[in-house]
mmCIF file of all heavy atoms in Angstrom:
data_model
loop_
_atom_site.group_PDB
_atom_site.id
_atom_site.type_symbol
_atom_site.label_atom_id
_atom_site.label_comp_id
_atom_site.label_asym_id
_atom_site.label_seq_id
_atom_site.Cartn_x
_atom_site.Cartn_y
_atom_site.Cartn_z
ATOM 1 N N SER A 24 -15.611 31.258 39.094
ATOM 2 C CA SER A 24 -16.279 30.698 40.373
ATOM 3 C C SER A 24 -17.094 29.480 39.942
ATOM 4 O O SER A 24 -17.487 28.787 40.879
ATOM 5 C CB SER A 24 -17.255 31.795 40.880
ATOM 6 O OG SER A 24 -17.946 32.309 39.965
ATOM 7 N N TYR A 25 -17.357 29.305 38.699
ATOM 8 C CA TYR A 25 -18.216 28.069 38.362
ATOM 9 C C TYR A 25 -17.324 26.977 37.946
ATOM 10 O O TYR A 25 -17.654 25.945 37.537
ATOM 11 C CB TYR A 25 -18.999 28.370 37.035
ATOM 12 C CG TYR A 25 -19.843 29.688 37.093
ATOM 13 C CD1 TYR A 25 -19.465 30.833 36.569
ATOM 14 C CD2 TYR A 25 -20.943 29.585 37.956
ATOM 15 C CE1 TYR A 25 -20.208 31.939 36.764
ATOM 16 C CE2 TYR A 25 -21.846 30.753 38.160
ATOM 17 C CZ TYR A 25 -21.366 31.910 37.528
ATOM 18 O OH TYR A 25 -22.107 33.068 37.691
ATOM 19 N N GLY A 26 -15.894 27.163 38.152
ATOM 20 C CA GLY A 26 -14.956 26.076 37.965
ATOM 21 C C GLY A 26 -14.726 25.918 36.463
ATOM 22 O O GLY A 26 -14.162 24.958 36.074
ATOM 23 N N GLU A 27 -14.937 26.942 35.631
ATOM 24 C CA GLU A 27 -14.830 26.911 34.248
ATOM 25 C C GLU A 27 -13.466 27.788 33.908
ATOM 26 O O GLU A 27 -13.110 28.608 34.702
ATOM 27 C CB GLU A 27 -15.967 27.465 33.356
ATOM 28 C CG GLU A 27 -17.153 26.816 33.526
ATOM 29 C CD GLU A 27 -18.383 27.703 33.197
ATOM 30 O OE1 GLU A 27 -18.140 28.920 32.968
ATOM 31 O OE2 GLU A 27 -19.524 27.181 33.010
ATOM 32 N N GLN A 28 -12.859 27.409 32.848
ATOM 33 C CA GLN A 28 -11.730 28.110 32.353
ATOM 34 C C GLN A 28 -12.136 29.646 31.977
ATOM 35 O O GLN A 28 -13.264 29.799 31.542
ATOM 36 C CB GLN A 28 -11.231 27.631 31.053
ATOM 37 C CG GLN A 28 -9.889 28.157 30.572
ATOM 38 C CD GLN A 28 -8.807 27.598 31.244
ATOM 39 O OE1 GLN A 28 -8.858 26.564 31.883
ATOM 40 N NE2 GLN A 28 -7.663 28.378 31.338
ATOM 41 N N SER A 29 -11.491 30.660 32.529
ATOM 42 C CA SER A 29 -11.768 32.070 32.179
ATOM 43 C C SER A 29 -10.457 32.800 32.046
ATOM 44 O O SER A 29 -9.439 32.354 32.295
ATOM 45 C CB SER A 29 -12.602 32.604 33.392
ATOM 46 O OG SER A 29 -11.737 32.653 34.556
ATOM 47 N N ILE A 30 -10.668 33.922 31.456
ATOM 48 C CA ILE A 30 -9.532 34.871 31.243
ATOM 49 C C ILE A 30 -9.667 36.021 32.172
ATOM 50 O O ILE A 30 -10.795 36.744 32.143
ATOM 51 C CB ILE A 30 -9.471 35.316 29.705
ATOM 52 C CG1 ILE A 30 -9.304 34.172 28.829
ATOM 53 C CG2 ILE A 30 -8.342 36.399 29.573
ATOM 54 C CD1 ILE A 30 -9.475 34.407 27.390
ATOM 55 N N ARG A 31 -8.646 36.260 32.948
ATOM 56 C CA ARG A 31 -8.673 37.284 33.952
ATOM 57 C C ARG A 31 -8.234 38.556 33.368
ATOM 58 O O ARG A 31 -7.270 38.629 32.668
ATOM 59 C CB ARG A 31 -7.693 36.843 35.044
ATOM 60 C CG ARG A 31 -7.805 37.535 36.401
ATOM 61 C CD ARG A 31 -6.739 36.996 37.349
ATOM 62 N NE ARG A 31 -7.196 35.758 38.097
ATOM 63 C CZ ARG A 31 -7.770 35.859 39.128
ATOM 64 N NH1 ARG A 31 -7.972 36.839 39.752
ATOM 65 N NH2 ARG A 31 -8.006 34.643 39.720
ATOM 66 N N ILE A 32 -8.966 39.681 33.652
ATOM 67 C CA ILE A 32 -8.563 41.069 33.129
ATOM 68 C C ILE A 32 -8.561 42.031 34.300
ATOM 69 O O ILE A 32 -9.325 41.808 35.254
ATOM 70 C CB ILE A 32 -9.342 41.518 32.067
ATOM 71 C CG1 ILE A 32 -10.824 41.662 32.368
ATOM 72 C CG2 ILE A 32 -9.294 40.677 30.723
ATOM 73 C CD1 ILE A 32 -11.719 42.462 31.321
ATOM 74 N N GLY A 33 -7.591 42.849 34.338
ATOM 75 C CA GLY A 33 -7.435 43.729 35.435
ATOM 76 C C GLY A 33 -7.989 45.149 35.262
ATOM 77 O O GLY A 33 -8.125 45.634 34.083
ATOM 78 N N LEU A 34 -8.228 45.738 36.343
ATOM 79 C CA LEU A 34 -8.737 47.354 36.353
ATOM 80 C C LEU A 34 -7.996 47.917 37.492
ATOM 81 O O LEU A 34 -7.945 47.412 38.684
ATOM 82 C CB LEU A 34 -10.261 47.435 36.475
ATOM 83 C CG LEU A 34 -10.632 48.744 36.908
ATOM 84 C CD1 LEU A 34 -10.749 49.640 35.579
ATOM 85 C CD2 LEU A 34 -12.039 48.799 37.620
ATOM 86 N N ILE A 35 -7.301 49.018 37.147
ATOM 87 C CA ILE A 35 -6.758 49.844 38.272
ATOM 88 C C ILE A 35 -7.457 51.216 38.112
ATOM 89 O O ILE A 35 -7.427 51.915 37.187
ATOM 90 C CB ILE A 35 -5.322 49.975 38.191
ATOM 91 C CG1 ILE A 35 -4.622 48.549 38.343
ATOM 92 C CG2 ILE A 35 -4.693 50.962 39.241
ATOM 93 C CD1 ILE A 35 -3.214 48.436 38.248
ATOM 94 N N SER A 36 -8.340 51.488 39.174
ATOM 95 C CA SER A 36 -9.122 52.529 39.061
ATOM 96 C C SER A 36 -8.869 53.646 40.076
ATOM 97 O O SER A 36 -8.463 53.240 41.145
ATOM 98 C CB SER A 36 -10.623 52.174 39.150
ATOM 99 O OG SER A 36 -11.388 53.251 39.760
ATOM 100 N N ASP A 37 -8.887 54.967 39.835
ATOM 101 C CA ASP A 37 -8.721 55.941 40.976
ATOM 102 C C ASP A 37 -9.966 56.770 41.111
ATOM 103 O O ASP A 37 -9.970 57.900 41.591
ATOM 104 C CB ASP A 37 -7.607 56.767 40.505
ATOM 105 C CG ASP A 37 -7.667 57.396 39.092
ATOM 106 O OD1 ASP A 37 -8.808 57.345 38.580
ATOM 107 O OD2 ASP A 37 -6.633 57.918 38.624
ATOM 108 N N ASP A 38 -11.076 56.024 40.952
ATOM 109 C CA ASP A 38 -12.457 56.753 41.090
ATOM 110 C C ASP A 38 -12.924 56.388 42.622
ATOM 111 O O ASP A 38 -13.212 55.207 42.881
ATOM 112 C CB ASP A 38 -13.426 56.167 40.068
ATOM 113 C CG ASP A 38 -14.732 56.498 40.405
ATOM 114 O OD1 ASP A 38 -15.050 57.685 40.990
ATOM 115 O OD2 ASP A 38 -15.747 55.691 40.195
ATOM 116 N N PRO A 39 -12.977 57.308 43.492
ATOM 117 C CA PRO A 39 -13.284 57.107 44.798
ATOM 118 C C PRO A 39 -14.767 56.646 44.983
ATOM 119 O O PRO A 39 -15.077 55.920 46.022
ATOM 120 C CB PRO A 39 -13.045 58.389 45.611
ATOM 121 C CG PRO A 39 -13.166 59.379 44.483
ATOM 122 C CD PRO A 39 -12.784 58.789 43.292
ATOM 123 N N THR A 40 -15.650 56.780 44.006
ATOM 124 C CA THR A 40 -17.123 56.466 44.210
ATOM 125 C C THR A 40 -17.169 54.870 43.843
ATOM 126 O O THR A 40 -18.338 54.435 44.044
ATOM 127 C CB THR A 40 -17.960 57.196 43.305
ATOM 128 O OG1 THR A 40 -17.733 57.075 41.940
ATOM 129 C CG2 THR A 40 -17.848 58.662 43.487
ATOM 130 N N GLU A 41 -16.132 54.282 43.233
ATOM 131 C CA GLU A 41 -16.198 53.000 42.863
ATOM 132 C C GLU A 41 -17.149 52.649 41.767
ATOM 133 O O GLU A 41 -17.502 51.439 41.445
ATOM 134 C CB GLU A 41 -16.571 51.925 44.147
ATOM 135 C CG GLU A 41 -15.473 52.148 45.050
ATOM 136 C CD GLU A 41 -15.561 51.146 46.234
ATOM 137 O OE1 GLU A 41 -16.554 50.243 46.085
ATOM 138 O OE2 GLU A 41 -14.843 50.917 47.191
ATOM 139 N N ARG A 42 -17.692 53.690 41.212
ATOM 140 C CA ARG A 42 -18.580 53.337 39.990
ATOM 141 C C ARG A 42 -18.010 52.878 38.787
ATOM 142 O O ARG A 42 -18.443 51.973 38.124
ATOM 143 C CB ARG A 42 -19.363 54.669 39.607
ATOM 144 C CG ARG A 42 -20.312 55.000 40.666
ATOM 145 C CD ARG A 42 -21.391 56.005 40.141
ATOM 146 N NE ARG A 42 -22.161 56.430 41.424
ATOM 147 C CZ ARG A 42 -22.104 57.440 41.929
ATOM 148 N NH1 ARG A 42 -21.567 58.563 41.436
ATOM 149 N NH2 ARG A 42 -22.966 57.791 43.017
ATOM 150 N N ILE A 43 -16.670 53.243 38.672
ATOM 151 C CA ILE A 43 -15.898 52.617 37.474
ATOM 152 C C ILE A 43 -15.766 51.138 37.809
ATOM 153 O O ILE A 43 -15.899 50.300 36.842
ATOM 154 C CB ILE A 43 -14.514 53.275 37.528
ATOM 155 C CG1 ILE A 43 -14.625 54.739 37.184
ATOM 156 C CG2 ILE A 43 -13.554 52.582 36.529
ATOM 157 C CD1 ILE A 43 -14.948 55.112 35.748
ATOM 158 N N GLN A 44 -15.427 50.767 39.004
ATOM 159 C CA GLN A 44 -15.357 49.308 39.236
ATOM 160 C C GLN A 44 -16.616 48.599 39.104
ATOM 161 O O GLN A 44 -16.625 47.441 38.570
ATOM 162 C CB GLN A 44 -14.898 49.071 40.713
ATOM 163 C CG GLN A 44 -13.475 48.952 40.904
ATOM 164 C CD GLN A 44 -12.984 49.013 42.304
ATOM 165 O OE1 GLN A 44 -13.286 50.018 42.909
ATOM 166 N NE2 GLN A 44 -12.526 48.039 42.901
ATOM 167 N N GLN A 45 -17.776 49.246 39.539
ATOM 168 C CA GLN A 45 -19.016 48.636 39.243
ATOM 169 C C GLN A 45 -19.392 48.497 37.774
ATOM 170 O O GLN A 45 -19.924 47.601 37.314
ATOM 171 C CB GLN A 45 -20.135 49.383 40.004
ATOM 172 C CG GLN A 45 -20.224 49.192 41.495
ATOM 173 C CD GLN A 45 -20.891 50.434 42.151
ATOM 174 O OE1 GLN A 45 -21.291 51.317 41.561
ATOM 175 N NE2 GLN A 45 -20.959 50.356 43.475
ATOM 176 N N THR A 46 -18.922 49.531 37.065
ATOM 177 C CA THR A 46 -19.210 49.539 35.596
ATOM 178 C C THR A 46 -18.452 48.380 34.941
ATOM 179 O O THR A 46 -18.929 47.629 34.105
ATOM 180 C CB THR A 46 -18.802 50.817 34.944
ATOM 181 O OG1 THR A 46 -19.381 51.942 35.584
ATOM 182 C CG2 THR A 46 -19.095 50.891 33.475
ATOM 183 N N PHE A 47 -17.215 48.186 35.457
ATOM 184 C CA PHE A 47 -16.260 47.132 34.838
ATOM 185 C C PHE A 47 -16.976 45.711 35.144
ATOM 186 O O PHE A 47 -17.015 44.929 34.208
ATOM 187 C CB PHE A 47 -14.973 47.358 35.741
ATOM 188 C CG PHE A 47 -13.906 46.326 35.264
ATOM 189 C CD1 PHE A 47 -13.357 46.353 34.099
ATOM 190 C CD2 PHE A 47 -13.476 45.419 36.273
ATOM 191 C CE1 PHE A 47 -12.180 45.615 33.764
ATOM 192 C CE2 PHE A 47 -12.392 44.504 35.821
ATOM 193 C CZ PHE A 47 -11.785 44.630 34.662
ATOM 194 N N GLU A 48 -17.518 45.600 36.404
ATOM 195 C CA GLU A 48 -17.986 44.305 36.691
ATOM 196 C C GLU A 48 -19.335 44.054 35.795
ATOM 197 O O GLU A 48 -19.525 42.964 35.261
ATOM 198 C CB GLU A 48 -18.427 44.186 38.143
ATOM 199 C CG GLU A 48 -17.316 44.268 39.209
ATOM 200 C CD GLU A 48 -16.350 43.040 38.979
ATOM 201 O OE1 GLU A 48 -16.627 42.072 38.423
ATOM 202 O OE2 GLU A 48 -15.106 43.282 39.356
ATOM 203 N N HIS A 49 -20.190 45.103 35.664
ATOM 204 C CA HIS A 49 -21.307 45.100 34.814
ATOM 205 C C HIS A 49 -21.134 44.620 33.409
ATOM 206 O O HIS A 49 -21.493 43.784 32.760
ATOM 207 C CB HIS A 49 -22.124 46.335 34.961
ATOM 208 C CG HIS A 49 -23.253 46.541 33.848
ATOM 209 N ND1 HIS A 49 -24.398 45.902 34.083
ATOM 210 C CD2 HIS A 49 -23.223 47.059 32.664
ATOM 211 C CE1 HIS A 49 -25.143 46.194 32.976
ATOM 212 N NE2 HIS A 49 -24.473 46.850 32.053
ATOM 213 N N ALA A 50 -19.853 45.356 32.778
ATOM 214 C CA ALA A 50 -19.632 45.128 31.494
ATOM 215 C C ALA A 50 -19.095 43.649 31.308
ATOM 216 O O ALA A 50 -19.446 43.057 30.355
ATOM 217 C CB ALA A 50 -18.463 46.035 31.103
ATOM 218 N N ILE A 51 -18.425 43.136 32.308
ATOM 219 C CA ILE A 51 -17.992 41.736 32.230
ATOM 220 C C ILE A 51 -19.171 40.769 32.167
ATOM 221 O O ILE A 51 -19.236 39.933 31.360
ATOM 222 C CB ILE A 51 -16.965 41.429 33.331
ATOM 223 C CG1 ILE A 51 -15.658 42.197 33.113
ATOM 224 C CG2 ILE A 51 -16.688 40.024 33.421
ATOM 225 C CD1 ILE A 51 -14.551 42.034 34.244
#
Side-chain angles (χ1 to χ4, degrees):
S24 50
Y25 308 105
E27 296 160 350
Q28 185 79 24
S29 64
I30 297 170
R31 201 181 271 267
I32 60 168
L34 166 79
I35 297 180
S36 154
D37 48 16
D38 168 34
T40 64
E41 298 191 357
R42 285 199 189 114
I43 296 284
Q44 267 168 296
Q45 288 161 355
T46 307
F47 182 68
E48 295 300 336
H49 167 80
I51 289 178

